[in-house]
Amino acid sequence: MIKPGLHPRNKHRSRYDFDQLIQANPALAQFVKLNAYHDASIDFSNPQAVKALNRALLKQFYDIAEWDIPAQYLCPPIPGRADYLHYIADLLADNNNGVIPEGESVRVLDIGVGANAIYPLIGNHEYGWRFVGADIDTIALKNAQHVLDANIGKSEVIELRQQTSPTAIFKGVVKHDEIFDLTMCNPPFHASMEDAQAGSQRKWQGLGKNTSRNFEKKGTKSQSVALNFGGQGAELYCAGGEEAFVNRMVNESKQIANQCLWFTSLISKAASLPSVYRALKKVNALEVKTIEMAQGQKKSRLVAWTFLDANQRLAWRNSRW
Protein backbone atom coordinates (compact mmCIF):
# COMPACT_ATOMS: atom_id res chain seq x y z
CA MET A 1 0.00 0.00 0.00
CA ILE A 2 1.41 3.35 -1.10
CA LYS A 3 0.64 6.38 1.07
CA PRO A 4 -1.01 9.03 -1.14
CA GLY A 5 0.57 12.41 -1.69
CA LEU A 6 4.14 11.78 -0.59
CA HIS A 7 7.04 12.72 -2.87
CA PRO A 8 8.16 9.90 -5.22
CA ARG A 9 11.62 9.78 -3.57
CA ASN A 10 10.19 9.66 -0.05
CA LYS A 11 11.32 6.45 1.67
CA HIS A 12 8.10 6.31 3.71
CA ARG A 13 5.53 5.91 0.94
CA SER A 14 4.82 2.30 1.92
CA ARG A 15 3.17 1.08 5.11
CA TYR A 16 5.56 0.88 8.06
CA ASP A 17 7.26 -2.52 8.31
CA PHE A 18 7.21 -2.86 12.08
CA ASP A 19 9.26 -6.07 12.07
CA GLN A 20 12.14 -4.25 10.43
CA LEU A 21 11.64 -1.15 12.56
CA ILE A 22 11.78 -3.22 15.74
CA GLN A 23 15.07 -4.70 14.53
CA ALA A 24 16.36 -1.14 14.17
CA ASN A 25 15.03 -0.13 17.60
CA PRO A 26 13.99 -3.05 19.83
CA ALA A 27 12.45 -0.61 22.35
CA LEU A 28 9.68 0.01 19.80
CA ALA A 29 8.30 -3.52 20.31
CA GLN A 30 6.52 -2.67 23.57
CA PHE A 31 4.40 -0.04 21.79
CA VAL A 32 3.34 -2.07 18.71
CA LYS A 33 -0.18 -3.52 18.85
CA LEU A 34 -2.79 -4.67 16.38
CA ASN A 35 -5.25 -1.91 15.57
CA ALA A 36 -8.96 -2.22 14.75
CA TYR A 37 -8.05 -3.36 11.22
CA HIS A 38 -5.72 -6.06 12.61
CA ASP A 39 -2.67 -4.20 11.32
CA ALA A 40 0.42 -3.57 13.41
CA SER A 41 0.53 0.04 14.61
CA ILE A 42 1.28 2.25 17.60
CA ASP A 43 -0.77 4.66 19.69
CA PHE A 44 0.15 7.96 18.05
CA SER A 45 -1.18 9.85 21.08
CA ASN A 46 1.59 8.30 23.20
CA PRO A 47 4.68 10.53 22.90
CA GLN A 48 6.98 7.72 24.02
CA ALA A 49 5.64 5.46 21.29
CA VAL A 50 6.08 8.16 18.65
CA LYS A 51 9.60 8.86 19.87
CA ALA A 52 10.45 5.15 19.68
CA LEU A 53 9.05 5.02 16.14
CA ASN A 54 11.12 8.04 15.12
CA ARG A 55 14.29 6.49 16.53
CA ALA A 56 13.61 3.36 14.49
CA LEU A 57 12.89 5.30 11.27
CA LEU A 58 15.98 7.46 11.67
CA LYS A 59 18.19 4.46 12.30
CA GLN A 60 16.77 2.24 9.55
CA PHE A 61 16.53 4.82 6.78
CA TYR A 62 19.01 7.58 7.66
CA ASP A 63 21.78 5.85 9.67
CA ILE A 64 21.14 7.98 12.75
CA ALA A 65 22.26 5.74 15.60
CA GLU A 66 21.38 8.05 18.50
CA TRP A 67 18.47 10.47 18.65
CA ASP A 68 16.37 11.91 21.47
CA ILE A 69 14.43 15.04 22.40
CA PRO A 70 13.58 16.51 25.81
CA ALA A 71 10.14 15.82 27.26
CA GLN A 72 7.40 18.02 25.79
CA TYR A 73 9.43 19.10 22.75
CA LEU A 74 8.11 18.67 19.22
CA CYS A 75 8.36 15.09 17.96
CA PRO A 76 8.24 15.56 14.18
CA PRO A 77 6.43 13.30 11.71
CA ILE A 78 9.39 12.10 9.67
CA PRO A 79 7.63 11.34 6.35
CA GLY A 80 6.37 14.92 6.06
CA ARG A 81 9.73 16.39 7.04
CA ALA A 82 11.47 14.28 4.39
CA ASP A 83 8.97 15.51 1.79
CA TYR A 84 10.00 19.15 2.29
CA LEU A 85 13.64 18.24 1.64
CA HIS A 86 12.85 16.29 -1.51
CA TYR A 87 10.78 19.13 -2.94
CA ILE A 88 13.47 21.74 -2.35
CA ALA A 89 15.99 19.34 -3.90
CA ASP A 90 13.78 19.44 -6.99
CA LEU A 91 13.84 23.24 -6.78
CA LEU A 92 17.65 23.18 -7.08
CA ALA A 93 17.43 20.62 -9.89
CA ASP A 94 15.27 23.07 -11.86
CA ASN A 95 18.29 25.38 -11.89
CA ASN A 96 20.72 22.58 -12.75
CA ASN A 97 19.36 20.96 -15.94
CA GLY A 98 17.19 18.59 -13.94
CA VAL A 99 20.05 17.18 -11.87
CA ILE A 100 19.89 17.52 -8.09
CA PRO A 101 23.17 19.05 -6.84
CA GLU A 102 24.54 16.88 -4.06
CA GLY A 103 27.47 17.07 -1.67
CA GLU A 104 28.93 19.57 0.73
CA SER A 105 29.12 22.39 -1.82
CA VAL A 106 25.37 22.86 -1.24
CA ARG A 107 24.65 24.86 1.91
CA VAL A 108 21.21 25.04 3.54
CA LEU A 109 19.98 27.26 6.38
CA ASP A 110 17.27 25.75 8.60
CA ILE A 111 15.39 28.47 10.49
CA GLY A 112 13.99 26.92 13.68
CA VAL A 113 16.10 23.76 13.73
CA GLY A 114 14.54 22.73 17.04
CA ALA A 115 15.67 20.12 19.53
CA ASN A 116 15.14 17.39 16.95
CA ALA A 117 17.41 18.75 14.14
CA ILE A 118 15.37 16.60 11.81
CA TYR A 119 15.84 18.54 8.57
CA PRO A 120 19.66 18.65 8.72
CA LEU A 121 19.89 15.00 9.74
CA ILE A 122 17.71 13.78 6.86
CA GLY A 123 18.98 16.30 4.31
CA ASN A 124 22.63 15.53 4.95
CA HIS A 125 22.02 11.79 4.64
CA GLU A 126 19.87 12.01 1.51
CA TYR A 127 21.86 14.61 -0.43
CA GLY A 128 25.14 15.17 1.41
CA TRP A 129 24.33 18.86 1.94
CA ARG A 130 25.90 20.98 4.66
CA PHE A 131 23.51 22.71 7.07
CA VAL A 132 23.37 25.63 9.46
CA GLY A 133 20.52 25.29 11.96
CA ALA A 134 19.32 28.35 13.87
CA ASP A 135 17.01 28.55 16.85
CA ILE A 136 16.12 30.92 19.67
CA ASP A 137 15.71 28.15 22.27
CA THR A 138 18.92 27.35 24.15
CA ILE A 139 17.57 24.04 25.49
CA ALA A 140 16.62 22.96 21.97
CA LEU A 141 20.06 23.88 20.63
CA LYS A 142 21.83 22.05 23.45
CA ASN A 143 19.86 18.89 22.73
CA ALA A 144 20.36 19.19 18.97
CA GLN A 145 24.11 19.53 19.51
CA HIS A 146 24.06 16.43 21.72
CA VAL A 147 22.37 14.51 18.89
CA LEU A 148 24.97 15.70 16.39
CA ASP A 149 27.85 14.79 18.69
CA ALA A 150 26.37 11.33 19.25
CA ASN A 151 26.39 10.53 15.52
CA ILE A 152 29.76 10.23 13.83
CA GLY A 153 30.57 13.06 11.44
CA LYS A 154 27.38 15.07 11.86
CA SER A 155 28.97 17.92 13.84
CA GLU A 156 31.35 18.49 10.94
CA VAL A 157 28.56 19.04 8.41
CA ILE A 158 25.81 20.56 10.60
CA GLU A 159 26.46 23.78 12.50
CA LEU A 160 24.08 25.22 15.08
CA ARG A 161 23.67 28.93 15.83
CA GLN A 162 21.54 30.77 18.34
CA GLN A 163 19.19 33.54 17.26
CA THR A 164 19.36 35.98 20.18
CA SER A 165 16.66 38.37 18.96
CA PRO A 166 13.01 37.39 19.44
CA THR A 167 11.99 39.44 16.39
CA ALA A 168 14.83 38.73 13.94
CA ILE A 169 15.01 35.77 11.56
CA PHE A 170 18.09 36.05 9.33
CA LYS A 171 19.71 39.03 11.04
CA GLY A 172 22.30 37.89 13.56
CA VAL A 173 22.42 34.39 12.05
CA VAL A 174 23.57 34.93 8.46
CA LYS A 175 27.07 36.44 8.30
CA HIS A 176 27.67 39.37 5.98
CA ASP A 177 29.75 37.38 3.46
CA GLU A 178 27.94 34.05 3.78
CA ILE A 179 26.25 32.20 0.91
CA PHE A 180 23.36 29.70 1.10
CA ASP A 181 21.79 27.78 -1.74
CA LEU A 182 18.55 27.30 0.20
CA THR A 183 16.82 28.45 3.33
CA MET A 184 14.00 26.43 4.86
CA CYS A 185 11.59 26.94 7.71
CA ASN A 186 8.64 25.25 9.39
CA PRO A 187 7.20 28.36 11.08
CA PRO A 188 5.09 28.40 14.24
CA PHE A 189 1.59 28.53 12.83
CA HIS A 190 -0.52 29.47 15.86
CA ALA A 191 -1.03 33.11 16.79
CA SER A 192 -1.34 32.60 20.54
CA MET A 193 -1.29 30.07 23.34
CA GLU A 194 -5.08 29.85 23.10
CA ASP A 195 -4.85 28.93 19.42
CA ALA A 196 -2.20 26.35 20.25
CA GLN A 197 -4.48 24.87 22.91
CA ALA A 198 -7.34 24.61 20.44
CA GLY A 199 -5.05 22.90 17.95
CA SER A 200 -3.92 20.45 20.60
CA GLN A 201 -7.54 19.71 21.47
CA ARG A 202 -8.28 18.92 17.82
CA LYS A 203 -5.25 16.66 17.70
CA TRP A 204 -6.42 14.73 20.77
CA GLN A 205 -9.93 14.45 19.35
CA GLY A 206 -8.54 13.18 16.06
CA LEU A 207 -6.70 10.50 17.98
CA GLY A 208 -9.91 9.49 19.75
CA LYS A 209 -8.89 10.79 23.16
CA ASN A 210 -11.10 12.30 25.85
CA THR A 211 -10.21 15.97 25.72
CA SER A 212 -12.31 16.80 28.77
CA ARG A 213 -9.88 14.71 30.77
CA ASN A 214 -6.79 16.14 29.11
CA PHE A 215 -7.76 19.81 29.20
CA GLU A 216 -8.68 21.35 32.51
CA LYS A 217 -9.04 24.93 33.67
CA LYS A 218 -6.62 27.49 32.32
CA GLY A 219 -3.32 27.51 34.14
CA THR A 220 -3.52 24.01 35.56
CA LYS A 221 -0.76 21.47 35.19
CA SER A 222 -2.97 19.22 33.08
CA GLN A 223 -3.57 22.01 30.59
CA SER A 224 0.16 22.66 30.37
CA VAL A 225 0.92 19.03 29.69
CA ALA A 226 -1.73 18.88 26.97
CA LEU A 227 -0.56 22.15 25.42
CA ASN A 228 3.00 20.95 25.26
CA PHE A 229 2.17 17.49 23.97
CA GLY A 230 3.15 18.57 20.48
CA GLY A 231 5.85 21.14 21.20
CA GLN A 232 7.14 24.04 23.24
CA GLY A 233 5.78 27.57 22.92
CA ALA A 234 8.23 28.88 20.32
CA GLU A 235 7.66 25.77 18.21
CA LEU A 236 3.88 26.26 18.17
CA TYR A 237 2.99 29.95 18.23
CA CYS A 238 4.18 33.52 17.80
CA ALA A 239 2.43 36.87 17.65
CA GLY A 240 0.44 36.93 14.43
CA GLY A 241 0.98 33.25 13.71
CA GLU A 242 2.67 31.86 10.60
CA GLU A 243 1.39 34.73 8.45
CA ALA A 244 3.23 37.36 10.48
CA PHE A 245 6.32 35.16 10.88
CA VAL A 246 6.69 34.46 7.16
CA ASN A 247 6.01 38.11 6.30
CA ARG A 248 8.93 39.08 8.57
CA MET A 249 11.02 36.42 6.87
CA VAL A 250 10.15 37.82 3.44
CA ASN A 251 11.05 41.36 4.49
CA GLU A 252 14.37 40.26 5.98
CA SER A 253 15.21 38.10 2.96
CA LYS A 254 15.39 41.26 0.84
CA GLN A 255 18.34 42.39 2.97
CA ILE A 256 20.33 39.30 1.98
CA ALA A 257 18.86 38.95 -1.51
CA ASN A 258 22.19 38.12 -3.19
CA GLN A 259 23.35 35.71 -0.49
CA CYS A 260 20.79 33.00 -1.16
CA LEU A 261 19.52 31.32 -4.31
CA TRP A 262 16.09 30.21 -3.01
CA PHE A 263 14.31 31.19 0.18
CA THR A 264 11.56 28.75 1.22
CA SER A 265 9.01 28.25 3.98
CA LEU A 266 6.24 25.81 4.75
CA ILE A 267 2.78 27.36 4.87
CA SER A 268 0.28 25.35 6.90
CA LYS A 269 -2.80 27.47 6.28
CA ALA A 270 -3.97 28.35 2.77
CA ALA A 271 -5.48 31.51 4.26
CA SER A 272 -1.95 32.78 4.96
CA LEU A 273 -0.97 32.78 1.29
CA PRO A 274 -2.49 36.09 0.08
CA SER A 275 -0.64 38.07 2.73
CA VAL A 276 2.63 36.29 1.95
CA TYR A 277 2.19 36.94 -1.78
CA ARG A 278 1.58 40.64 -1.09
CA ALA A 279 4.76 40.80 0.99
CA LEU A 280 6.74 39.09 -1.78
CA LYS A 281 5.42 41.54 -4.36
CA LYS A 282 6.32 44.46 -2.11
CA VAL A 283 9.97 43.34 -1.82
CA ASN A 284 10.13 42.69 -5.60
CA ALA A 285 10.86 38.98 -5.53
CA LEU A 286 11.65 38.03 -9.13
CA GLU A 287 10.11 34.56 -9.04
CA VAL A 288 7.71 32.92 -6.58
CA LYS A 289 6.75 29.24 -6.59
CA THR A 290 4.09 27.49 -4.55
CA ILE A 291 4.57 23.74 -4.27
CA GLU A 292 1.63 21.68 -3.02
CA MET A 293 2.36 18.90 -0.54
CA ALA A 294 0.22 16.23 1.08
CA GLN A 295 0.56 13.50 3.68
CA GLY A 296 -2.60 11.44 3.71
CA GLN A 297 -5.46 13.84 4.39
CA LYS A 298 -3.16 16.63 5.59
CA LYS A 299 -2.56 19.31 2.97
CA SER A 300 0.20 21.88 3.10
CA ARG A 301 2.44 23.75 0.74
CA LEU A 302 5.80 25.42 0.58
CA VAL A 303 6.45 28.84 -0.90
CA ALA A 304 9.79 29.56 -2.52
CA TRP A 305 11.13 32.87 -3.78
CA THR A 306 14.29 34.28 -5.31
CA PHE A 307 15.68 37.72 -6.07
CA LEU A 308 18.03 36.42 -8.77
CA ASP A 309 17.20 36.53 -12.47
CA ALA A 310 17.86 33.68 -14.91
CA ASN A 311 21.39 34.82 -15.77
CA GLN A 312 22.31 35.26 -12.12
CA ARG A 313 20.98 31.78 -11.32
CA LEU A 314 23.04 30.30 -14.13
CA ALA A 315 26.14 32.04 -12.82
CA TRP A 316 25.31 30.77 -9.33
CA ARG A 317 25.10 27.19 -10.57
CA ASN A 318 28.35 27.44 -12.54
CA SER A 319 30.28 28.91 -9.63
CA ARG A 320 28.98 26.62 -6.87
CA TRP A 321 27.94 23.21 -8.22
Side-chain angles (χ1 to χ4, degrees):
M1 174 182 168
I2 300 298
K3 297 176 183 176
L6 290 178
H7 190 282
R9 288 195 304 277
N10 197 312
K11 293 177 175 178
H12 311 291
R13 298 181 76 214
S14 300
R15 186 187 299 275
Y16 291 140
D17 185 332
F18 280 99
D19 290 336
Q20 290 187 10
L21 290 170
I22 289 169
Q23 288 183 26
N25 179 24
L28 176 63
Q30 63 183 304
F31 301 109
V32 177
K33 311 290 182 186
L34 292 181
N35 62 21
Y37 303 98
H38 301 286
D39 296 321
S41 187
I42 64 168
D43 179 358
F44 284 92
S45 71
N46 181 342
Q48 295 305 315
V50 175
K51 190 185 292 188
L53 174 62
N54 275 13
R55 286 197 187 106
L57 291 169
L58 288 169
K59 189 170 184 180
Q60 180 181 346
F61 292 101
Y62 305 106
D63 296 328
I64 304 301
E66 301 290 337
W67 182 85
D68 199 4
I69 53 174
Q72 314 307 334
Y73 272 74
L74 188 65
C75 198
I78 288 173
R81 299 301 194 260
D83 247 28
Y84 188 175
L85 287 154
H86 293 310
Y87 278 112
I88 60 176
D90 291 344
L91 193 63
L92 292 187
D94 289 343
N95 296 115
N96 196 39
N97 295 324
V99 178
I100 297 170
E102 299 186 9
E104 295 182 12
S105 62
V106 178
R107 299 187 75 234
V108 183
L109 173 61
D110 179 11
I111 295 295
V113 65
N116 55 70
I118 206 72
Y119 288 125
L121 291 172
I122 295 177
N124 174 255
H125 181 272
E126 294 292 86
Y127 298 112
W129 299 340
R130 297 182 69 92
F131 280 79
V132 171
D135 208 288
I136 199 167
D137 187 330
T138 55
I139 296 174
L141 287 172
K142 183 178 179 180
N143 187 83
Q145 188 63 56
H146 179 75
V147 170
L148 300 182
D149 293 342
N151 290 277
I152 296 172
K154 294 305 180 186
S155 291
E156 284 72 48
V157 291
I158 302 169
E159 177 189 351
L160 302 179
R161 299 177 187 173
Q162 183 169 14
Q163 171 57 267
T164 57
S165 169
T167 58
I169 295 175
F170 298 120
K171 185 178 180 181
V173 169
V174 178
K175 300 172 184 177
H176 75 280
D177 58 348
E178 196 167 26
I179 298 295
F180 288 100
D181 300 282
L182 290 163
T183 72
M184 60 189 309
C185 180
N186 184 7
F189 53 86
H190 293 298
S192 65
M193 182 178 287
E194 289 72 23
D195 284 347
Q197 179 187 4
S200 293
Q201 282 182 307
R202 287 192 295 272
K203 179 186 289 186
W204 280 92
Q205 289 170 337
L207 293 169
K209 300 301 175 181
N210 183 352
T211 57
S212 63
R213 186 177 69 237
N214 295 313
F215 290 84
E216 299 179 4
K217 291 183 179 180
K218 187 174 181 179
T220 65
K221 182 178 180 180
S222 294
Q223 186 212 33
S224 176
V225 170
L227 271 174
N228 291 327
F229 175 76
Q232 290 292 298
E235 295 177 304
L236 294 176
Y237 64 89
C238 68
E242 71 171 4
E243 184 176 314
F245 190 96
V246 178
N247 281 353
R248 291 207 313 272
M249 184 186 301
V250 167
N251 291 332
E252 279 198 34
S253 70
K254 180 67 173 180
Q255 300 168 21
I256 55 170
N258 295 317
Q259 292 177 250
C260 181
L261 178 58
W262 283 101
F263 299 90
T264 76
S265 179
L266 286 180
I267 302 290
S268 177
K269 302 175 182 177
S272 301
L273 289 172
S275 176
V276 171
Y277 293 151
R278 286 193 297 271
L280 287 165
K281 185 176 182 179
K282 190 173 181 179
V283 298
N284 297 315
L286 289 186
E287 186 171 353
V288 177
K289 293 187 176 185
T290 303
I291 300 169
E292 298 294 329
M293 300 169 59
Q295 183 180 355
Q297 298 300 313
K298 182 180 179 183
K299 307 294 182 183
S300 63
R301 73 283 308 154
L302 69 88
V303 172
W305 65 96
T306 184
F307 296 97
L308 306 184
D309 62 27
N311 289 332
Q312 289 172 312
R313 279 181 258 169
L314 179 62
W316 184 289
R317 182 197 76 179
N318 291 338
S319 66
R320 291 188 52 77
W321 310 332

